[in-house]
Amino acid sequence: MIDAQNSGNHGGRPQRPAVKADTLVDAEADDVPAAGPTQVGSRRALAYLGLCLVLIGLNLRTVFSSFSAVLPEVTSDAGLPGWAVVVLTTVPVTLLGVFAPLAPVLARRFGAERVLLGAMAVLTAGLLLRPAGIPGAGHLPALFAGTAACGAAIALCNVLLPGLVKRDFPHRLGLMGGLYTTAICASAALGAGFTYPVFTATGQWTSALWFWAVPPAVVLLLFLPVAGRQRHGHQTAVREGVNVWRSAVAWQVTVFMVLQAMMSFSVFAWLAPILRERGVDGGTAGLIVSVSIVLQMLGSLFAPALAARLRDQRVINTVVALMTGGGFALSIFGPLELVWVWTGMLGLGQGSLTAVALTMIMLRTRDGHTAAHLSGMMQGVGYGLGSTGTLLVGQLHQGTGSFAAAGLLFLVVGALAAVFGYRAGRDRFIGASGPM
């Protein structure tokens, strides 16, 4: 975490504090008294807690990539109209933004551990409900309700889990932060890579989607004794730090986040259908998406450390934004023989883009309170507006009958991300006076 004491003046301009490549922000930074660490009785129990937190992260993206892996089969068998497909790929991302502000409120009332436990229960229930058929109504109502429940649950985990990792493992932050972020990327890769093989083995898309209710159910049982024995005291929120909503720098960083989210969740929702429409079989399409997401892990591991070492992040932000937009467009327009190259470039670019966008939280703030407020703003606005990416891709495909218009869209989105990434990457702090 950036320490305000390390932010002095040198030669009339702010001096950059010593920054680690740490993108974990405590959403409960404004709580008084500060939330204490999770109560564990031994080093073994602490290791068990760490395992549970990483396993929670391993369930936070399968809902997106698993659905897209069998989207043609779901659409055909369940008779989904085009508007329903668009809604089902958009709603969970929108809810990430809608429910994000509720997470700190619920944590103050019930404790972060119990909120995480409840979120895993809701996620499990949503994944069980999602493929269910209702007599006389078909699959659509359950698909809507289950997908919405999953989006709400993931939103709570997205906000609270980084703070628990940061709070409970201050001396192993690099290790735990790396494991946590890698687990999230791995969850998307697993959903993309294994859903279609399960469908092939069972012959039922419902079984392929029900399969993903098993991992969170297991984590729910593992985490139950940890969360159940926590004692939660009375806490209140005291607002400290800069008002980020009035900061031009904060808005530039947030718009950068919006544009990366538009591309990131469109990859999860639409890359497999794009490849399948181009003639790639379902199993190979899932494998390509999975490998692309694995490459995202590499980008997310190295980009924050590189960004933190640079005096400003204008060049890296611009390059990874253009890589992502270009990789997405080439996955649609480029020669199919080189599809592994295009999706590989997309994966490296997207992983780096997501990581540097999150790293901006730490590099543009001087203290933990401002970082938490900026993180809340970025998640609420970023995911809420970022869901328009999946919405636009779906609408363009429905209106034109192909993904060509979506390819042009993401050339524009990538270019805009480069512009706002350049502006967000300038060496400034939120709350410091300077040029817009």
Side-chain angles (χ1 to χ4, degrees), residues 102 248 384:
L102 279 178

Side-chain angles (χ1 to χ4, degrees), residues 59 125 184 339 354 390 397:
N59 286 275
I184 291 180
V339 68
T354 303
T390 59
H397 183 263

Side-chain angles (χ1 to χ4, degrees), residues 101-191:
L102 279 178
V105 178
L106 293 172
R108 280 192 292 273
R109 182 174 179 85
F110 302 107
E113 295 87 357
R114 292 183 180 179
V115 176
L116 279 178
L117 181 71
M120 293 306 294
V122 172
L123 178 60
T124 303
L127 289 169
L128 286 171
L129 176 62
R130 186 169 61 155
I134 299 175
H139 287 279
L140 194 55
L143 280 168
F144 280 146
T147 300
C150 292
I154 293 168
L156 300 180
C157 295
N158 276 348
V159 175
L160 295 180
L161 195 55
L164 257 71
V165 172
K166 193 178 190 78
R167 187 177 73 199
D168 293 329
F169 299 91
H171 303 300
R172 295 289 184 272
L173 197 54
L175 172 64
M176 285 300 299
L179 289 174
Y180 156 75
T181 53
T182 300
I184 291 180
C185 281
S187 69
L190 291 171

